[in-house]
Amino acid sequence: MEKVTEALAVIEDINAAYGIPTKALAELRAEMADAKVCTPIIGKFSTGKSALVNTLLGYSRKLLKEDITPETAVPTEILYAEEEDSAAMLRNDGTLQRLSLEEYRSLEADASAVKSVRLCLRNSFLREIPDIMLVDMPGFESGFEIHNKAIDNYLPQSLAYIIAFPADDMIVRNSVGNILRELCLHDMPLCVVITKYDKRNDDFDGTFARMKESLKRFVGEREIRYCRTSSFTGDAEELEEYLREIQRQSRAILAEKYRKRLLPMAENTENYLKTLLKGQSLSESELDEQEEKLRRQLDALDHGVAGEQGEFRAETAACAEEIRNDVQCALEAEEATLVAMALNNQDISEHLNQVVRSAVTVSMKKRFVPLLEKYLKKTADLINSGMEGDIHISFSYDSRKLGSGMVSAAVAAAAGILLSVPILGIAAAIFMKLRSNKKRQEAKQEISRKLRGEVFPQVLREVGSGIEMTIAGQTAQVNAAVEKELEEQKNTLEKAMEDVRTRMNEEKDRKEKLGKDLRADLDRIEEIKDGLR
């Protein structure tokens, strides 16, 4: 991370010296300064999550409330502060309210109005993990919208999830198991923390082994890190060491993220310097010819990129329908389970939510992400082949990061729409009536007909529309990002040509000095690029 920061400073200095805009570099520097690795702690209510965080913090007076209700449970972000303790409450409308720690201790947050609370603490243990942001998540029994929030709000920025199970209740319930299954779809590292270890039963080892087997139903043979803790005895050493391991990885992970962002900026500066250096030896007629060549190439490039964008939009429109069909297949495959749940007086809402989320995740990764990768590769190849000779434009991309963000956006949209329409409430009322008025076999058949004829079609209409709008919106954002990067580099090249013409009539010794400076700065940029690759 230090190398990336140093490289950014060098590029800023060079850009400033030649009048190349530095706004994007300044924005990147500000983002890097606040970058954290997010690590949510999840589980059902009363698993001891908040008590666990209080134990990690080590204060004599508990900071996080440990006996809260679903109505007052909101995600609480905890991170290290160098200067002083502070608290802030972010509402769903985007407003931020500053709080003292005493005000936070007495806070009764309204979970329907508050998005999250952030605590910045000058704490001795947090000082050991300054690049990590812990998030104490509400328990999942407060409704599956909390499940959605835990995934959709924090997955894109998280390195790992910590899942809490109390030693006196190590049953893997569906509310937690389903989120584990979804996290595995995103290749998210998992750590299981056994809280309240002091309350373990005499057959803890046997219970622990059975819990591990139960977890396999949701995560398969995936590797899981296990830690045992007790807030009663103040023992959290295993978890503390796990968090220190994340801290040791975090700088490299953050550096990799920002290295990819900085490399094209370095190449943009390099292209300016090369163009300016080459122009030093051109006559006025040769410069005219070079400028005309640049205009022709840029016009051809704009036309080619527009063609690729149009083809990508057409392919993604068809892809949205394929994803909808995948969701339909997933719903139909779960019909027997949903019927059985309805017959046994179980709410099908959470299960439907999970089926839709999993189906959209898998289908987006299978169908949309490959289209995105193909589009970006073709665009890069077009740019690299279109800019010939001494005129250069660079185009780089991180298809994995873009794809992951789009998958998360589509899943969030699908789940959000599922929550916003009265499908599930209507379905529950229908099934309750059927159970009371029909014999079991007749009710089973009628529930199947209602699922296929009413519930599934409405889910597919609403979710399909949400997926289509999300893909269209995400596609527009990708295209806008491509256009912005190209426009910035085109402006830099055009500035280089203008600067060449401005300097044509400079005295020989000044031109020689400029050429020497340009070659030295090019060497610095090349060293930076080698370090970033």
Side-chain angles (χ1 to χ4, degrees):
M1 196 65 171
E2 288 71 21
K3 289 183 179 180
V4 175
T5 303
E6 292 170 4
L8 190 151
V10 172
I11 298 170
E12 279 184 310
D13 288 344
I14 294 175
N15 280 18
Y18 293 96
I20 305 171
T22 59
K23 180 181 177 182
L25 291 165
E27 291 173 349
L28 185 62
R29 176 184 289 281
E31 183 180 330
M32 288 169 59
D34 295 329
K36 303 291 180 185
V37 173
C38 180
T39 308
I41 304 173
I42 64 175
K44 71 182 187 69
F45 270 99
S46 301
T47 55
K49 301 187 303 299
S50 298
L52 174 61
V53 175
N54 282 328
T55 301
L56 290 172
L57 296 177
Y59 294 138
S60 57
R61 183 184 173 195
K62 295 176 181 178
L63 182 59
L64 274 67
K65 292 183 179 179
E66 298 178 11
D67 296 310
I68 57 177
T69 64
E71 294 75 24
T72 61
V74 298
T76 303
E77 304 171 353
I78 304 110
L79 58 158
Y80 177 66
E82 183 66 39
E83 301 299 328
E84 60 183 15
D85 295 341
S86 65
M89 180 170 64
L90 178 63
R91 299 183 182 275
N92 289 332
D93 62 7
T95 58
L96 191 68
Q97 180 181 349
R98 304 289 181 181
L99 305 167
S100 68
L101 287 193
E102 285 306 311
E103 288 173 328
Y104 168 73
R105 281 191 166 99
S106 61
L107 177 68
E108 294 288 341
D110 180 358
S112 64
V114 176
K115 183 176 182 180
S116 63
V117 172
R118 172 169 287 198
L119 302 177
C120 299
L121 306 173
R122 199 166 184 266
N123 175 271
S124 58
F125 176 68
L126 294 181
R127 185 182 292 115
E128 297 183 49
I129 55 169
D131 297 313
I132 294 175
M133 179 175 73
L134 296 173
V135 186
D136 181 19
M137 294 299 305
F140 292 115
E141 281 71 9
S142 54
F144 63 87
E145 67 275 9
I146 298 298
H147 170 137
N148 296 351
K149 184 181 291 187
I151 294 287
D152 300 333
N153 289 4
Y154 292 101
L155 181 62
Q157 55 180 318
S158 298
L159 171 65
Y161 272 69
I162 296 172
I163 304 93
F165 288 91
D168 57 352
D169 184 11
M170 295 166 63
I171 299 172
V172 184
R173 292 176 172 81
N174 285 338
S175 57
V176 176
N178 286 333
I179 196 172
L180 290 173
R181 182 184 285 122
E182 186 167 351
L183 291 172
C184 289
L185 292 175
H186 292 276
D187 299 321
M188 183 60 59
L190 304 174
C191 173
V192 168
V193 175
I194 307 301
T195 59
K196 306 180 184 179
Y197 187 61
D198 54 287
K199 295 184 178 181
R200 64 191 182 279
N201 59 30
D202 294 336
D203 185 30
F204 173 79
D205 291 339
T207 305
F208 190 30
R210 288 190 290 274
M211 187 195 78
K212 289 182 177 180
E213 286 300 313
S214 296
L215 284 171
K216 289 182 180 179
R217 290 193 298 121
F218 301 99
V219 304
E221 297 298 326
R222 187 182 192 84
E223 182 179 350
I224 297 177
R225 175 74 170 266
Y226 292 94
C227 301
R228 288 167 293 187
T229 66
S230 171
S231 298
F232 179 76
T233 62
D235 179 12
E237 290 183 5
E238 291 179 350
L239 180 59
E240 289 171 356
E241 181 53 35
Y242 175 71
L243 291 172
R244 292 186 187 102
E245 287 179 18
I246 293 180
Q247 172 64 34
R248 287 191 284 270
Q249 298 175 48
S250 65
R251 301 300 288 174
I253 291 170
L254 292 172
E256 176 66 10
K257 172 183 177 180
Y258 291 110
R259 178 192 68 80
K260 292 179 178 178
R261 298 266 300 276
L262 186 58
L263 187 56
M265 297 180 179
E267 291 174 338
N268 187 36
T269 301
E270 179 185 41
N271 292 337
Y272 170 89
L273 297 173
K274 285 183 175 179
T275 303
L276 191 57
L277 182 60
K278 176 65 177 178
Q280 290 294 103
S281 61
L282 296 178
S283 65
E284 188 164 354
S285 61
E286 288 172 332
L287 179 58
D288 291 338
E289 182 180 342
Q290 190 80 320
E291 287 178 330
E292 179 60 29
K293 178 182 178 182
L294 175 61
R295 279 192 292 271
R296 289 196 306 269
Q297 289 185 339
L298 293 181
D299 288 344
L301 187 58
D302 286 340
H303 181 74
V305 170
E308 292 296 341
Q309 290 179 338
E311 183 178 338
F312 181 49
R313 280 192 294 269
E315 289 178 330
T316 54
C319 180
E321 180 61 25
E322 291 175 345
I323 294 171
R324 179 191 174 281
N325 292 338
D326 288 342
V327 174
Q328 180 176 355
C329 290
L331 289 171
E332 292 172 351
E334 290 296 311
E335 181 181 332
T337 299
L338 293 167
V339 169
M341 292 176 68
L343 285 172
N344 292 323
N345 202 29
Q346 292 177 272
D347 186 0
I348 68 168
S349 302
E350 184 176 343
H351 191 69
L352 263 178
N353 177 64
Q354 183 58 39
V355 170
V356 169
R357 293 179 66 90
S358 296
V360 173
T361 300
V362 172
S363 189
M364 282 285 291
K365 293 173 79 170
K366 175 184 176 183
R367 301 186 185 281
F368 183 77
V369 172
L371 282 181
L372 174 67
E373 291 174 342
K374 183 181 76 170
Y375 162 62
L376 293 174
K377 185 178 185 306
K378 288 175 69 176
T379 300
D381 290 344
L382 174 70
I383 292 170
N384 293 335
S385 63
M387 304 306 292
E388 301 172 351
D390 300 305
I391 300 174
H392 302 275
I393 283 185
S394 305
F395 177 73
S396 60
Y397 58 91
D398 186 348
S399 60
R400 181 175 181 180
K401 181 177 182 298
L402 284 171
S404 176
M406 290 188 172
V407 170
S408 297
V411 172
I417 287 174
L418 198 61
L419 284 170
S420 66
V421 295
I423 300 170
L424 306 179
I426 293 171
I430 291 172
F431 298 153
M432 186 173 294
K433 182 178 179 181
L434 289 173
R435 283 195 304 270
S436 62
N437 295 342
K438 301 278 187 179
K439 293 180 181 179
R440 186 174 181 84
Q441 188 59 33
E442 292 177 348
K444 181 177 179 180
Q445 293 172 354
E446 187 63 22
I447 290 171
S448 289
R449 283 194 288 272
K450 290 291 184 180
L451 283 170
R452 292 189 178 192
E454 296 180 27
V455 178
F456 290 173
Q458 189 174 357
V459 169
L460 290 169
R461 280 194 301 273
E462 302 294 344
V463 170
S465 175
I467 292 170
E468 186 175 331
M469 287 189 295
T470 301
I471 287 180
Q474 294 288 314
T475 299
Q477 289 183 28
V478 169
N479 286 339
V482 171
E483 292 168 4
K484 180 182 177 182
E485 183 170 340
L486 291 180
E487 188 64 26
E488 289 176 352
Q489 295 204 42
K490 284 159 58 178
N491 289 341
T492 300
L493 281 178
E494 289 169 350
K495 171 179 167 49
M497 299 300 290
E498 292 173 4
D499 289 349
V500 168
R501 188 172 290 281
T502 300
R503 291 177 168 87
M504 283 193 70
N505 298 321
E506 289 183 346
E507 296 178 4
K508 182 179 178 182
D509 58 343
R510 292 180 62 188
K511 291 177 72 173
E512 288 177 352
K513 182 181 183 303
L514 175 61
K516 184 178 180 180
D517 291 343
L518 286 168
R519 281 186 285 272
D521 288 334
L522 274 170
D523 289 341
R524 294 167 73 193
I525 290 291
E526 192 60 40
E527 289 177 7
I528 287 172
K529 287 174 59 183
D530 288 342
L532 293 174
R533 287 195 177 105

